[in-house]
Amino acid sequence: MKVLVPVKRVVDYNVKVRVKADNSGVDIANVKMSMNPFCEIAVEEAVRLKEKGAATEIVAVSAGVTQCQETLRNAMAIGADRGILIETDAELQPLAVAKLLKAIVDKEQPQLVILGKQAIDDDSNQTGQMLAALLNWGQATFASKVEIEGGAAKVTCEVDGGLETVLIKLPAIITTDLRLNEPRYATLPNIMKAKKKQLDIVKPADLGVDVTPRLTTLKVEEPPKRKGGVKVADVAALIDKLKNEAKVI
């Protein structure tokens, strides 16, 4: 079974994000970038499936600028067998990414696609669902446990009311939740081996996909600074402030 794992390059989760002076977006100049944490979980799960004998090949794929090669090398150091970079400087929105991934799926013919439920930069939580719709494949989102049983996947999903277990036929899409696993650290020998693994580079035009943005960002602002709390004399004063100042009642 071939497993395809999309990975995204994002601002490292330990970095304090800053907005550009002109409010046009987030400043990423000289900022540490790393693999999206949910994508790391997806790679780890694919590697575990291979270690169990359920998967035979893991293909990592990323879309974005040239530096995304570093993200793919990291995925290969964790355990992916090879990588594919869809190289473009264009702004990639979830639908465009889903279309690019569909083109790769049509070419690679994997039996399973595992990807993070969302990226920590835009928090869209859309790409996996859009890809499933484009492929007309079954999907299991927010997975906290995955078991491959013959030609199907038994997936425990995080839902508002607790846990839900679904059985989906392969090929299928699975999006990973935080509690699925804890990604391993890439060892130095594996990092060195990853440098020699195959990494193919294609352009969106090669895949016949138009990645022109359909949404326009008008303005990006930092959240307002939190104000200090105040003490009130009694319940009546509290209700007055909630009604007239906070306007929440």
Side-chain angles (χ1 to χ4, degrees):
M1 179 179 74
K2 182 188 291 187
V3 180
L4 189 75
V5 186
V7 295
K8 186 176 184 181
R9 178 177 180 263
V10 299
V11 175
D12 189 88
Y13 67 91
N14 287 314
V15 173
K16 179 176 173 55
V17 176
R18 300 186 182 277
V19 175
K20 292 181 179 178
D22 61 358
N23 295 108
S24 62
V26 173
D27 188 4
I28 59 172
N30 301 316
V31 171
K32 181 183 178 183
M33 308 292 282
S34 61
M35 188 190 303
N36 177 49
F38 290 104
C39 297
E40 284 187 321
I41 293 171
V43 175
E44 173 66 26
E45 191 63 24
V47 173
R48 292 188 184 190
L49 289 176
K50 186 176 180 182
E51 290 172 344
K52 293 176 183 177
T56 55
E57 183 182 21
I58 302 169
V59 182
V61 57
S62 187
V65 295
T66 305
Q67 290 86 339
C68 290
Q69 291 186 39
E70 300 171 9
T71 307
L72 288 169
R73 293 294 181 193
N74 188 20
M76 289 187 277
I78 294 173
D81 297 295
R82 57 189 175 92
I84 301 172
L85 172 61
I86 308 169
E87 190 176 41
T88 176
D89 293 326
E91 177 191 352
L92 294 176
Q93 296 176 352
L95 181 59
V97 175
K99 289 181 177 179
L100 291 170
L101 292 177
K102 179 184 182 298
I104 295 296
V105 169
D106 291 340
K107 179 181 178 182
E108 293 289 334
Q109 294 294 307
Q111 286 72 53
L112 183 64
V113 179
I114 306 179
L115 64 164
K117 69 172 184 177
Q118 65 194 78
I120 62 171
D121 52 1
D122 57 17
D123 279 328
S124 292
N125 179 24
Q126 295 176 349
T127 304
Q129 293 89 328
M130 288 178 170
L131 178 59
L134 292 172
L135 291 168
N136 196 28
W137 284 9
Q139 60 177 308
T141 56
F142 315 121
S144 60
K145 185 177 181 181
V146 176
E147 297 175 298
I148 304 299
E149 300 177 350
K154 184 180 179 182
V155 185
T156 302
C157 304
E158 304 263 350
V159 296
D160 290 341
L163 299 175
E164 179 182 61
T165 302
V166 297
L167 187 67
I168 52 175
K169 293 182 179 179
L170 301 180
I173 307 290
I174 295 176
T175 70
T176 63
D177 209 324
L178 192 63
R179 283 159 288 280
L180 179 58
N181 60 53
E182 184 174 342
R184 70 193 69 187
Y185 288 102
T187 62
L188 182 58
N190 287 338
I191 292 173
M192 300 306 293
K193 290 177 183 177
K195 294 181 179 180
K196 298 181 180 180
K197 290 184 178 180
Q198 179 182 345
L199 198 162
D200 301 320
I201 299 177
V202 297
K203 303 285 186 181
D206 300 332
L207 302 173
V209 177
D210 179 12
V211 296
T212 304
R214 295 171 179 243
L215 303 174
T216 302
T217 301
L218 301 179
K219 191 176 184 181
V220 177
E221 293 181 332
E222 290 190 15
K225 292 184 179 179
R226 186 174 179 180
K227 297 180 181 178
V230 296
K231 290 184 178 181
V232 294
D234 50 33
V235 174
L238 174 61
I239 293 175
D240 179 68
K241 286 186 175 294
L242 290 175
K243 182 182 294 185
N244 300 314
E245 292 185 21
K247 300 186 184 300
V248 296
I249 60 173

